[in-house]
Amino acid sequence: MMQEFVQRVKDLSTEVVNGIHTAIPGKIVSFDPATSQAVVTPTMLYRKPDGSTIPYPDVAGVPVYFPQGNTQQVSISYAVKPGDGCLLISAEQALDYWMYGMETDSDIRFDLTNSIAIVGLFVSPSPGIQKACDENAVVVMAGGVALTVKPERVEIDGDLQVNGKINATEIIKSDIDVLASPREVSLANHTHGGPKPL
C-alpha cells in the first residue's frame, strides 16, 4: 500500500514537471515588425505519458527580443525572417500585464503560450562568428557587407553611404581618388588654370 502511494506521488511529480517549460529551441514562422511579435514553431518533440512523441503546436503572439536601452532611443535592429532560429523562454507568469498593462485571471505558469523569443539560435555558426574569433573583433554582417570593429581600427568591407556630415580630427586618405559632387571632380586629377608659381 505504501509503495503504491509513493509510486503515485512520483508519477504525479513527473507529470507536473513535464508540463513546466523553461527554454526550448524554435523556428520563426512569421514576424510582424509593427508589433515585434512572431509565430514560432518549437523544434523539439513532446513526449506523451505512453512514451510516444508528437510535434509541439505553433505558438502565436511571441514577443521578440531586440537589444534596446535608454527608453528605446538606442537600439540594434535586424531583419527577422521565416526559418530563423530562436530560443523560446517561457515566463514564470502570463505576460498580459507586462505587454498590455492588464491583469489576467490566468494562473498558467511556465507555459509555451507565455514565451519570449531570442532570435539567433542556429545549429551551425555564421561566417561572422569565425571572423570575430579569429580577429578578436565585433563583426556585423549583412549579405556581402561586413563591419569589423577591432581593438585598433574599424574596417568596412563594402560600399559606405553617409547621410550627414563627416567630421575628422585626423587626415583622411584614399588609395585611389576622391570625387567631389555634384560634378564628381577628381581630387587626384583635378588641375587649375591660371598663373603658375615661379
Side-chain angles (χ1 to χ4, degrees), residues 76 128-141 145-157 160:
I76 299 173
I129 294 173
Q130 187 65 56
K131 181 176 173 66
C133 292
D134 289 345
E135 302 179 20
N136 190 29
V138 175
V139 178
V140 178
M141 297 186 77
V145 177
L147 172 76
T148 305
V149 181
K150 297 182 178 183
E152 67 278 4
R153 66 179 175 273
V154 176
E155 297 177 357
I156 298 173
D157 297 315
L160 175 64

Side-chain angles (χ1 to χ4, degrees), residues 74-101:
V74 178
S75 66
I76 299 173
S77 303
Y78 40 84
V80 176
K81 299 293 184 182
D84 283 349
C86 66
L87 180 64
L88 279 173
I89 300 176
S90 299
E92 182 178 335
Q93 299 177 4
L95 298 175
D96 298 36
Y97 186 75
W98 170 70
M99 292 178 68
Y100 310 112

Side-chain angles (χ1 to χ4, degrees), residues 31 33 36-37 64-69 75-80 117-119:
F31 175 69
S36 195
Q37 294 180 19
V64 174
Y65 165 80
F66 289 91
Q68 303 179 78
S75 66
I76 299 173
S77 303
Y78 40 84
V80 176
I118 299 176
V119 176

Side-chain angles (χ1 to χ4, degrees), residues 89-91 93-96 106 108-109 111-116:
I89 300 176
S90 299
Q93 299 177 4
L95 298 175
D96 298 36
S106 173
I108 296 175
R109 299 169 62 85
D111 191 77
L112 282 175
T113 58
N114 295 312
S115 293
I116 295 170

